Coordinates of all heavy atoms in Angstrom, one line a residue:
A170 N -1.2 -12.9 18.8 CA -0.3 -13.4 19.9 C 0.4 -14.7 19.6 O 1.5 -14.9 20.1 CB -1.1 -13.6 21.2
K171 N -0.2 -15.4 18.6 CA 0.5 -16.7 18.2 C 1.6 -16.4 17.2 O 2.3 -17.4 16.9 CB -0.6 -17.6 17.6 CG -1.5 -18.3 18.6 CD -2.4 -19.2 17.9 CE -3.5 -19.6 18.9 NZ -4.8 -19.9 18.2
N172 N 1.7 -15.2 16.8 CA 2.6 -15.0 15.7 C 3.6 -13.9 16.0 O 3.7 -12.9 15.2 CB 1.8 -14.6 14.4 CG 1.1 -15.7 13.8 OD1 1.7 -16.8 13.6 ND2 -0.2 -15.6 13.5
P173 N 4.4 -14.0 17.0 CA 5.4 -13.0 17.2 C 6.4 -13.0 16.0 O 6.8 -14.1 15.5 CB 6.1 -13.4 18.5 CG 5.2 -14.4 19.1 CD 4.4 -15.1 18.0
H174 N 6.7 -11.9 15.6 CA 7.7 -11.7 14.4 C 8.8 -10.8 14.9 O 8.5 -9.6 15.1 CB 6.9 -11.2 13.2 CG 7.8 -10.9 12.0 ND1 7.3 -10.5 10.8 CD2 9.1 -11.1 11.8 CE1 8.3 -10.3 10.0 NE2 9.4 -10.7 10.6
V175 N 10.0 -11.3 15.0 CA 11.1 -10.5 15.6 C 12.0 -10.1 14.4 O 12.5 -11.0 13.7 CB 11.9 -11.3 16.6 CG1 12.9 -10.4 17.3 CG2 10.9 -11.8 17.7
L176 N 12.3 -8.8 14.3 CA 13.3 -8.4 13.3 C 14.6 -8.2 14.1 O 14.6 -7.4 15.0 CB 12.8 -7.1 12.6 CG 13.8 -6.6 11.5 CD1 13.0 -6.0 10.4 CD2 14.7 -5.6 12.1
F177 N 15.7 -8.8 13.6 CA 17.0 -8.6 14.2 C 17.8 -7.7 13.4 O 17.9 -7.8 12.2 CB 17.7 -10.0 14.3 CG 17.3 -10.8 15.4 CD1 16.1 -11.6 15.4 CD2 18.1 -10.9 16.6 CE1 15.8 -12.3 16.5 CE2 17.7 -11.6 17.7 CZ 16.5 -12.4 17.6
F178 N 18.4 -6.7 14.1 CA 19.2 -5.7 13.4 C 20.6 -5.7 14.1 O 20.8 -5.1 15.1 CB 18.6 -4.3 13.5 CG 19.1 -3.4 12.4 CD1 18.2 -2.5 11.8 CD2 20.4 -3.3 12.1 CE1 18.6 -1.6 10.8 CE2 20.9 -2.4 11.1 CZ 20.0 -1.6 10.5
P179 N 21.5 -6.5 13.5 CA 22.9 -6.6 14.2 C 23.8 -5.5 13.8 O 23.5 -4.7 12.9 CB 23.4 -7.9 13.6 CG 22.8 -8.0 12.2 CD 21.5 -7.3 12.3
F180 N 24.8 -5.4 14.6 CA 25.9 -4.4 14.3 C 26.8 -5.1 13.3 O 27.2 -6.3 13.6 CB 26.6 -4.1 15.6 CG 27.6 -3.0 15.5 CD1 27.2 -1.7 15.4 CD2 29.0 -3.3 15.6 CE1 28.1 -0.7 15.3 CE2 29.9 -2.2 15.6 CZ 29.5 -0.9 15.4
P181 N 27.1 -4.5 12.1 CA 27.7 -5.3 11.1 C 29.2 -5.5 11.2 O 29.9 -5.2 10.3 CB 27.3 -4.5 9.8 CG 27.2 -3.1 10.3 CD 26.8 -3.2 11.7
I182 N 29.7 -6.1 12.3 CA 31.0 -6.6 12.3 C 31.0 -8.0 12.9 O 30.1 -8.4 13.6 CB 32.0 -5.7 13.0 CG1 31.7 -5.5 14.5 CG2 32.2 -4.4 12.3 CD1 32.7 -4.7 15.2
Q183 N 32.1 -8.8 12.5 CA 32.1 -10.2 12.8 C 31.7 -10.6 14.3 O 30.9 -11.4 14.5 CB 33.5 -10.8 12.5 CG 33.8 -12.1 13.1 CD 33.2 -13.3 12.5 OE1 33.1 -13.3 11.2 NE2 32.9 -14.3 13.2
G184 N 32.4 -9.9 15.3 CA 32.2 -10.3 16.6 C 30.7 -10.2 17.1 O 30.3 -10.8 18.1
H185 N 30.0 -9.3 16.4 CA 28.6 -9.1 16.9 C 27.6 -10.0 16.2 O 26.5 -10.1 16.7 CB 28.2 -7.6 16.6 CG 28.9 -6.6 17.4 ND1 28.3 -5.8 18.3 CD2 30.2 -6.3 17.6 CE1 29.1 -5.0 18.9 NE2 30.3 -5.3 18.5
I186 N 27.9 -10.6 15.1 CA 26.8 -11.3 14.4 C 26.5 -12.7 15.0 O 25.4 -13.0 15.2 CB 27.3 -11.5 12.9 CG1 27.6 -10.1 12.3 CG2 26.2 -12.2 12.1 CD1 26.6 -9.5 11.5
P187 N 27.5 -13.5 15.3 CA 27.2 -14.8 15.8 C 26.3 -14.8 17.1 O 25.3 -15.6 17.1 CB 28.5 -15.5 16.1 CG 29.4 -14.9 15.1 CD 29.0 -13.4 15.1
P188 N 26.6 -14.0 18.1 CA 25.7 -14.0 19.3 C 24.2 -13.7 18.9 O 23.3 -14.3 19.4 CB 26.2 -12.9 20.2 CG 27.6 -12.6 19.7 CD 27.7 -13.0 18.3
M189 N 24.1 -12.7 17.9 CA 22.7 -12.3 17.5 C 22.1 -13.4 16.7 O 20.9 -13.7 16.9 CB 22.8 -11.0 16.7 CG 21.5 -10.4 16.7 SD 21.6 -8.7 16.2 CE 21.0 -7.8 17.7
L190 N 22.8 -14.1 15.9 CA 22.3 -15.2 15.1 C 21.9 -16.3 16.0 O 20.8 -17.0 15.8 CB 23.3 -15.7 14.1 CG 23.1 -15.2 12.7 CD1 24.2 -15.8 11.8 CD2 21.7 -15.5 12.1
K191 N 22.7 -16.6 17.0 CA 22.4 -17.7 18.0 C 21.0 -17.4 18.7 O 20.2 -18.3 18.7 CB 23.5 -17.8 19.0 CG 24.7 -18.5 18.5 CD 25.9 -18.5 19.4 CE 27.1 -18.9 18.7 NZ 28.3 -18.9 19.3
L192 N 20.9 -16.2 19.1 CA 19.6 -15.8 19.8 C 18.5 -15.9 18.8 O 17.4 -16.4 19.1 CB 19.7 -14.4 20.3 CG 18.4 -13.8 21.0 CD1 18.0 -14.7 22.1 CD2 18.6 -12.4 21.4
A193 N 18.7 -15.4 17.5 CA 17.6 -15.5 16.5 C 17.2 -16.9 16.3 O 16.0 -17.3 16.2 CB 18.1 -14.9 15.2
E194 N 18.2 -17.8 16.2 CA 17.8 -19.2 16.0 C 17.0 -19.8 17.1 O 16.0 -20.5 17.0 CB 19.1 -20.1 15.7 CG 18.7 -21.4 15.2 CD 19.7 -22.5 15.5 OE1 20.6 -22.3 16.3 OE2 19.6 -23.6 14.9
L195 N 17.4 -19.5 18.4 CA 16.7 -20.0 19.5 C 15.3 -19.5 19.6 O 14.4 -20.2 19.9 CB 17.5 -19.6 20.8 CG 18.8 -20.3 21.0 CD1 19.5 -19.8 22.3 CD2 18.7 -21.8 21.0

Side-chain angles (χ1 to χ4, degrees):
K171 282 183 197 151
N172 286 312
H174 176 180
V175 185
L176 183 143
F177 278 80
F178 201 139
F180 189 70
I182 61 175
Q183 161 80 35
H185 289 241
I186 306 259
M189 199 162 244
L190 261 182
K191 284 174 193 176
L192 176 60
E194 191 203 17
L195 292 179

